[in-house]
């Protein structure tokens, strides 16, 4: 379905979303750069920077405004530093072998965006001839996607960051609100500037994979929350996974997550949403056929909702409690690349659905990984009967040897998991 070839490294990659404003007391590129060695050690491969552009002052929300109300697509928010500071950050990211993608907002802009003065026809108007917001988002105005000059100006602005700063791709905010032909055209032009750019779409519209490599899994996230709160049954979760498997093209990468900037600020932390299963679902996100997302501070963890329009700095001095937890999971993806290829698609273990267990295995040639996650509220026991799975394995978290045979009982408490490989 896709018209483009995804970067080869994506199949075993991961993404870390950076909320720069809240990352440190001054919220700057320079301060964030001090965390790069730690993130590299944790196994992070792709950094997704929330928008770094200047924020509109007209109808601004809160004291600092929304990242997504942009007044100039070719400039840097002085709250974060200078353009040279950003270039230095990208260079440091690359020196550590990581990549950096930029959040891009193509559907709307600030009321005082520079284009409202130079190119007012780039925006839609209401019946009185005034700029108008999309939906009830009253701090931004709707871009006129029917204007081809606006579309080219937007692509040129994206190209500025590729050429001037050597960024590695884009996360498209609400991608489906901007017509698909725009994104196809953007990718064609920008691929000519730099190969193997990462294209991540905030959408679940299947046809947008014509332009994008990766899409969001909002449906899974919402249904997992409903399940953990007792609003949906376990089989509904599996139906969603089956839907994804059957409806989306085989080459489409899906990004699984338990939190991001929207979820944390507006709907609650992963600990509020998932009723004790936050870490279990993080394990699933890293082991299923997916590209897992880790949001700013999940490795601490951050147990509060971060403010969106105001300063609300994270305190890193308490110690990064879950660094090794995520490092183990991300290292597995890097060390066992064969197990995370499309060929090694997950296969469910028999006899586990009725136990509310997310249990599956992935195999390619002699490499094998078995994952059991108890999503039930009680202790569960399971004996693996599949003949092809019998043998000796290593527990990836403890390093202990584990024997799998049809006599060995695996016991898991509620929210507990087991990952073994051979």
């Amino acid at each position: 379905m896709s018209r483009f070839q995804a970067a080869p490294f994506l199949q075993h990659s991961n993404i870390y979303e950076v909320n720069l404003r809240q990352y440190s007391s001054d919220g700057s590129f320079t301060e964030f750069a001090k965390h790069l060695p730690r993130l590299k050690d944790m196994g992070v491969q792709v950094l997704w920077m929330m928008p770094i552009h200047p924020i509109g002052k007209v109808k601004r929300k809160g004291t600092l405004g929304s990242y997504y109300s942009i007044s100039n697509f070719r400039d840097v928010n002085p709250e974060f530093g200078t353009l040279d500071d950003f270039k230095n950050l990208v260079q440091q990211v690359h020196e550590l072998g990581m990549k950096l993608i930029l959040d891009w907002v193509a559907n709307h802009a600030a009321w005082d965006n520079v284009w409202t003065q130079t190119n007012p026809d780039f925006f839609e108007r209401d019946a009185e001839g005034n700029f108008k917001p999309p939906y009830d988002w009253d701090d931004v105005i709707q871009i006129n996607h029917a204007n081809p000059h606006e579309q080219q100006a937007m692509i040129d602005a994206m190209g500025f960051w590729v050429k001037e700063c050597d960024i590695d791709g884009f996360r498209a905010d609400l991608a489906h609100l901007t017509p698909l032909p725009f994104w196809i055209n953007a990718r064609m032009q920008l691929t000519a500037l730099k190969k193997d750019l990462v294209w991540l779409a905030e959408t679940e519209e299947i046809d947008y994979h014509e332009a994008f490599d990766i899409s969001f899994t909002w449906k899974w996230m919402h249904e997992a929350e409903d399940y953990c709160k007792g609003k949906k049954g376990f089989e509904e979760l599996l139906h969603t996974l089956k839907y994804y498997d059957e409806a989306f093209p085989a080459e489409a990468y899906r990004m699984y997550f338990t939190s991001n900037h929207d979820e944390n600020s507006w709907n609650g932390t992963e600990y509020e949403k998932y009723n004790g299963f936050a870490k279990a679902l993080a394990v699933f996100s890293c082991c299923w056929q997916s590209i897992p997302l880790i949001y700013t501070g999940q490795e601490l963890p951050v147990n509060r909702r971060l403010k969106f329009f105001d300063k609300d700095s994270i305190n890193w001095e308490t110690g990064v409690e879950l660094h090794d937890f995520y490092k183990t999971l991300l290292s597995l993806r890097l060390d066992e690349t064969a197990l995370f290829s499309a060929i090694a698609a997950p296969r469910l273990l028999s006899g586990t659905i009725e136990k509310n267990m997310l249990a599956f295995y992935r195999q390619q040639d002699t490499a094998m990984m078995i994952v059991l996650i108890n999503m039930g509220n009680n202790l569960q026991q399971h004996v693996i009967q599949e003949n092809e799975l019998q043998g000796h394995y290593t527990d990836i978290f403890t390093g202990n040897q584990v024997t799998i045979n049809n006599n060995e009982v695996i016991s898991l408490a509620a929210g507990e998991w087991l990952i073994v490989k051979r």
Side-chain angles (χ1 to χ4, degrees):
M1 180 180 185
S2 176
R3 303 187 183 197
F4 306 95
Q5 184 69 41
F9 67 86
L10 279 181
Q11 66 182 9
H12 51 81
S13 189
N14 60 73
I15 297 173
Y16 183 96
E17 182 186 5
V18 180
N19 185 335
L20 190 60
R21 171 182 291 166
Q22 314 302 13
Y23 217 93
S24 61
S25 57
D26 72 353
S28 68
F29 297 124
T30 303
E31 281 299 309
F32 171 68
K34 297 176 182 178
H35 290 261
L36 292 178
R38 173 180 63 79
L39 295 172
K40 172 65 176 179
D41 181 72
M42 197 168 80
V44 171
Q45 287 192 287
V46 179
L47 296 167
W48 152 22
M49 301 290 294
M50 291 173 68
I52 63 170
H53 310 99
I55 293 170
K57 295 180 180 179
V58 176
K59 300 192 179 185
R60 172 179 286 195
K61 293 186 176 182
T63 57
L64 296 175
S66 168
Y67 284 98
Y68 297 86
S69 177
I70 294 170
S71 63
N72 190 335
F73 290 102
R74 287 174 175 257
D75 203 354
V76 168
N77 186 347
E79 178 189 346
F80 304 146
T82 66
L83 181 63
D84 283 339
D85 291 336
F86 181 65
K87 289 180 179 180
N88 288 335
L89 173 64
V90 176
Q91 182 178 349
Q92 291 178 68
V93 167
H94 289 167
E95 288 172 352
L96 288 170
M98 297 186 288
K99 298 183 182 297
L100 186 148
I101 66 174
L102 192 59
D103 211 326
W104 198 262
V105 186
N107 181 66
H108 46 268
W111 287 83
D112 48 348
N113 183 280
V114 293
W115 286 344
T116 62
Q117 298 298 316
T118 61
N119 301 87
D121 58 324
F122 282 7
F123 301 94
E124 291 188 2
R125 308 285 185 129
D126 62 18
E128 287 73 41
N130 301 312
F131 297 133
K132 63 178 186 178
Y135 310 106
D136 59 350
W137 308 340
D138 53 12
D139 62 335
V140 293
I141 55 176
Q142 177 64 53
I143 284 174
N144 177 14
H145 297 305
N147 186 327
H149 301 293
E150 182 282 325
Q151 292 200 4
Q152 188 56 52
M154 186 66 79
I155 294 172
D156 291 342
M158 297 171 75
F160 168 85
W161 297 97
V162 176
K163 289 184 291 186
E164 294 296 320
C165 301
D166 197 26
I167 67 165
D168 301 294
F170 298 92
R171 177 266 187 187
D173 181 65
L174 295 166
H176 53 278
L177 298 185
T178 301
L180 177 57
F182 165 82
W183 294 114
I184 293 173
N185 189 16
R187 183 158 185 179
M188 289 176 63
Q189 292 190 42
L190 298 178
T191 299
L193 298 178
K194 185 175 182 177
K195 292 183 178 180
D196 288 340
L197 292 174
V198 177
W199 291 84
L200 166 63
E202 185 193 14
T203 189
E204 289 214 74
E205 297 291 332
I206 297 172
D207 58 348
Y208 272 67
H209 276 282
E210 291 185 41
F212 290 91
D213 304 318
I214 317 165
S215 58
F216 277 51
T217 54
W218 289 112
K219 180 178 174 64
W220 166 261
M221 187 210 66
H222 290 306
E223 293 199 350
E225 179 179 0
D226 286 345
Y227 166 77
C228 291
K229 292 180 176 179
K231 298 178 181 178
K232 289 192 174 180
F234 184 72
E235 288 197 0
E236 291 179 80
L237 291 182
L238 298 181
H239 288 158
T240 298
L241 295 177
K242 183 179 180 181
Y243 160 72
Y244 285 159
D245 185 50
E246 294 178 350
F248 282 78
E251 69 272 18
Y253 292 113
R254 315 304 315 288
M255 186 176 74
Y256 284 77
F257 51 94
T258 57
S259 188
N260 59 30
H261 65 273
D262 282 320
E263 285 303 304
N264 172 274
S265 294
W266 308 119
N267 298 326
T269 71
E270 61 268 41
Y271 300 99
E272 291 178 77
K273 291 168 50 183
Y274 296 119
N275 194 27
F277 292 97
K279 289 177 69 177
L281 286 168
V283 168
F284 172 81
S285 295
C286 289
C287 294
W288 192 251
Q289 191 154 330
S290 68
I291 295 179
L293 170 71
I294 301 169
Y295 176 53
T296 287
Q298 282 195 277
E299 68 270 36
L300 269 173
V302 171
N303 288 308
R304 74 178 196 277
R305 303 184 186 194
L306 298 174
K307 295 177 182 178
F308 200 80
F309 305 116
D310 303 283
K311 189 66 179 171
D312 189 12
S313 304
I314 291 171
N315 179 14
W316 294 97
E317 295 180 359
T318 59
V320 186
E321 179 183 332
L322 300 182
H323 178 92
D324 288 342
F325 167 75
Y326 282 110
K327 181 177 180 178
T328 298
L329 292 168
L330 300 184
S331 296
L332 174 67
R333 297 178 61 86
L334 291 172
D335 296 341
E336 303 290 341
T337 56
L339 290 173
F340 293 91
S341 69
I343 297 172
R347 286 175 278 184
L348 296 177
L349 294 180
S350 61
T352 56
I353 296 175
E354 56 271 29
K355 299 175 183 178
N356 288 14
M357 297 178 73
L358 284 170
F360 55 93
Y361 65 98
R362 304 187 68 166
Q363 178 181 12
Q364 184 169 340
D365 299 325
T366 59
M368 179 78 75
M369 176 179 69
I370 305 175
V371 181
L372 296 98
I373 306 170
N374 182 6
M375 293 297 296
N377 293 317
N378 302 301
L379 175 75
Q380 291 291 351
Q381 296 183 320
H382 185 69
V383 176
I384 295 177
Q385 297 291 342
E386 287 86 348
N387 290 330
E388 65 271 27
L389 304 185
Q390 311 299 302
H392 301 288
Y393 293 80
T394 301
D395 185 319
I396 73 158
F397 278 96
T398 67
N400 295 336
Q401 296 303 301
V402 177
T403 299
I404 300 293
N405 60 50
N406 53 21
N407 295 315
E408 294 290 332
V409 178
I410 298 171
S411 298
L412 295 174
E416 193 177 7
W417 60 87
L418 174 69
I419 307 173
V420 296
K421 68 172 184 176
R422 73 173 186 213

